[in-house]
Amino acid sequence: MKRIIQFILPVILGAGCHTAKINEADSLKRFNEIDSLLQRKEFFAARDKWVAQTDHLTRFHQLKAGAEIDNAFNRLSSSTEKIESLLNDYSNKLTDKDKYHLLRISQMNHSKLFEYQKAYDDLHELTTGYQQQLTADELYNFQNTKKIWAALAKEPPQVITINDNTTLAIKHDKLGLQNLSLSQDTLSIDFIFDTGANFSTVTETTARKLNMRFMDTTTIEVGSITSHKVRSRIGVCPVFNLGSIKVENAVFLVFPDQALAVPQANVQINGIIGFPVIEAMKEIQLTKKGEFIVPKQKSSHPQQNMAINFLNPIIYLDRENYTFDSGANTTTLYDAYFTKHKKEIEPFYKERDITIGGAGGSVTKKGYVITFKTRINDQPIVMDSIELFKEPLTDETYFAGNIGQDIIKKFDKMTINFESMFIRFD
């Protein structure tokens, strides 16, 4: 990927920022090219084009593209400021579809900043004022999510305090999943940690041990990659520790114990530390020796090769966009990869049934088991026996696949920095 500055140049919002008047039609054409990339979730290409063409965009088009790009690269407050400027200064130029889209992004920003009341307000406006923009599934999902923010509206935000450098041993359970010891006073409980989990989860028994506050009047349905639904309620953990890291007011989805049990392996999962907790640590490091490290002083990297699609980390490898999931043992490729590399796959591999599991069950699709090749640090990486789904797992698949621990283990250390937005392999 072309090297860019670590921090994207801010959009110049003031008047008089150009020496020549910008042509509106030319600006619209350039904006539409950027917007088309954003719609396809090609965040890195959209970012590069936006930076290169900022001086040729009107302030209106700078703000429209910049609001979404800032969201994707975790500049949440900046994204929100751009959205407010658009709604306040250009309301007459925005269509209902535009306003709907901006409110969706605003809701993401507020939720990731733990501003639950504001997230609820955005969703309430979406579901009451823009129903014509919503499909039945979107309306259902928004109503379901709105229950979460309503229940949390008066709850304090999550706070993470990193008192010192923290190194924890990663334990592997019978399923091969990575666990960390979470502590509270004299209590110590193993939790899976998983960057691919949109929310942290916990069993009801474990939640009670940790003295979580239950939102007893709220029950929601939680989806998974397999499209199955699992009923859950919401809990807030007042405090827990991971080494010298103190986590306060973390939100958990509370499941019945059996929903997180794997009886065929005689495994009871206590809970999962998900993306909202992990991201708030700002930087984590995973080592080949089995260590989970959170440094007090953050590191740096010349590339900004990570974006976030709502709560899912995206990594840019060898001109392809992948989701990244520290909880996945193996790398999995999706139908978008198949479509792009079809001529390299169909003549050489035999089609077969591929099954993937998730919360609530499993799903089987047509696919292949292939040799997967990519490049990291300008070095070739070759992985045998990688499962490739020919058919989509969801209605919309934008990413080439999901990067798992099998690739991570080829390196001594991997650093994930959510502040400067990079993933570095050493």
Side-chain angles (χ1 to χ4, degrees):
M1 183 183 72
K2 182 178 68 176
R3 290 185 71 173
I4 65 166
I5 56 174
Q6 186 172 344
F7 295 101
I8 299 292
L9 291 173
V11 174
I12 300 172
L13 300 180
C17 57
H18 305 290
T19 57
K21 186 176 180 180
I22 295 172
N23 180 278
E24 181 75 28
D26 179 65
S27 176
L28 177 61
K29 180 182 177 182
R30 293 171 188 268
F31 167 79
N32 285 338
E33 291 172 353
I34 297 169
D35 188 55
S36 177
L37 292 169
L38 289 170
Q39 289 182 37
R40 300 195 302 270
K41 310 295 184 183
E42 296 183 23
F43 300 120
F44 305 96
R47 172 203 60 194
D48 293 349
K49 188 175 285 289
W50 181 66
V51 170
Q53 301 195 5
T54 291
D55 288 346
H56 302 283
L57 299 174
T58 64
R59 179 174 183 256
F60 175 65
H61 289 140
Q62 288 176 12
L63 291 169
K64 279 189 76 177
E68 189 161 356
I69 290 169
D70 278 348
N71 170 268
F73 290 95
N74 220 22
R75 299 185 293 270
L76 306 178
S77 295
S78 179
S79 174
T80 299
E81 289 172 5
K82 289 179 174 63
I83 292 169
E84 290 174 351
S85 293
L86 283 164
L87 294 174
N88 291 333
D89 301 343
Y90 297 99
S91 181
N92 61 327
K93 292 189 67 172
L94 296 169
T95 65
D96 282 351
K97 185 177 181 180
D98 290 334
K99 292 175 182 177
Y100 157 80
H101 185 62
L102 291 171
L103 283 170
R104 287 191 68 166
I105 298 172
S106 179
Q107 185 269 154
M108 294 181 206
N109 293 338
H110 290 310
S111 66
K112 287 192 276 188
L113 290 168
F114 312 109
E115 297 169 348
Y116 306 122
Q117 181 64 60
K118 291 180 179 180
Y120 171 84
D121 291 341
D122 285 339
L123 274 187
H124 182 69
E125 187 171 353
L126 276 172
T127 54
T128 56
Y130 296 89
Q131 286 196 12
Q132 70 276 14
Q133 302 292 333
L134 300 170
T135 65
D137 283 346
E138 286 174 330
L139 180 60
Y140 171 82
N141 288 331
F142 281 156
Q143 295 285 17
N144 202 41
T145 304
K146 194 163 74 168
K147 293 179 184 178
I148 300 176
W149 307 143
L152 295 170
K154 297 186 184 303
E155 290 292 323
Q158 175 184 285
V159 176
I160 288 186
T161 305
I162 300 174
N163 296 302
D164 201 352
N165 295 328
T166 293
T167 299
L168 298 174
I170 297 171
K171 307 174 186 178
H172 289 85
D173 59 23
K174 293 180 181 178
L175 302 174
L177 300 174
Q178 299 181 104
N179 285 252
L180 298 174
S181 290
L182 177 154
S183 63
Q184 186 188 85
D185 298 326
T186 59
L187 185 66
S188 180
I189 304 175
D190 288 345
F191 269 59
I192 294 167
F193 75 92
D194 183 1
T195 56
N198 288 350
F199 277 93
S200 298
T201 61
V202 66
T203 63
E204 189 164 333
T205 295
T206 303
R208 294 190 185 283
K209 290 180 181 178
L210 292 169
N211 299 308
M212 290 193 187
R213 301 188 295 274
F214 292 97
M215 313 292 120
D216 286 320
T217 59
T218 304
T219 301
I220 62 170
E221 288 190 337
V222 182
S224 71
I225 194 170
T226 64
S227 299
H228 292 282
K229 302 290 184 182
V230 181
R231 294 190 69 80
S232 167
R233 54 181 176 155
I234 303 164
V236 177
C237 189
V239 64
F240 67 83
N241 296 284
L242 289 165
S244 62
I245 303 166
K246 182 180 181 181
V247 183
E248 300 174 89
N249 306 314
V251 174
F252 285 80
L253 299 179
V254 183
F255 290 100
D257 290 13
Q258 62 269 26
L260 292 181
V262 187
Q264 60 269 35
N266 193 29
V267 171
Q268 174 65 63
I269 296 170
N270 299 311
I272 301 170
I273 299 168
F275 181 84
V277 173
I278 296 171
E279 186 272 340
M281 297 176 189
K282 301 304 181 186
E283 178 174 312
I284 65 169
Q285 300 171 4
L286 306 176
T287 72
K288 195 172 187 177
K289 295 188 295 184
E291 298 169 318
F292 176 91
I293 301 170
V294 178
K296 189 171 183 179
Q297 185 70 34
K298 306 301 178 284
S299 57
S300 62
H301 188 53
Q303 290 186 340
Q304 190 183 49
N305 62 349
M306 182 172 70
I308 295 178
N309 181 43
F310 185 38
L311 292 172
N312 298 307
I314 309 301
I315 183 171
Y316 188 72
L317 290 179
D318 198 23
R319 300 184 299 279
E320 305 260 22
N321 299 317
Y322 298 87
T323 57
F324 170 75
D325 183 354
S326 64
N329 289 327
T330 58
T331 294
T332 303
L333 301 175
Y334 299 151
D335 60 295
Y337 184 93
F338 172 76
T339 300
K340 185 174 180 179
H341 299 275
K342 187 175 181 179
K343 292 181 180 179
E344 306 160 26
I345 295 167
E346 284 188 322
F348 305 104
Y349 298 97
K350 183 178 179 181
E351 185 179 292
R352 63 176 71 184
D353 289 337
I354 305 289
T355 300
I356 188 170
S362 61
V363 65
T364 299
K365 299 281 187 178
K366 296 295 183 182
Y368 302 86
V369 176
I370 71 168
T371 297
F372 169 56
K373 299 177 183 179
T374 188
R375 297 184 72 84
I376 297 176
N377 298 341
D378 205 32
Q379 298 296 318
I381 300 294
V382 180
M383 306 290 295
D384 291 323
S385 302
I386 298 299
E387 293 183 340
L388 163 64
F389 285 88
K390 177 181 179 180
E391 299 175 302
L393 292 173
T394 60
D395 291 338
E396 296 178 337
T397 304
Y398 298 102
F399 306 109
N402 182 73
I403 300 300
Q405 294 176 37
D406 49 357
I407 286 184
I408 298 168
K409 289 176 180 177
K410 286 185 171 291
F411 299 86
D412 291 332
K413 183 169 70 173
M414 179 185 66
T415 299
I416 311 171
N417 187 300
F418 296 98
E419 197 165 61
S420 300
M421 295 300 289
F422 67 79
I423 297 179
R424 188 181 70 228
F425 297 90
D426 297 305

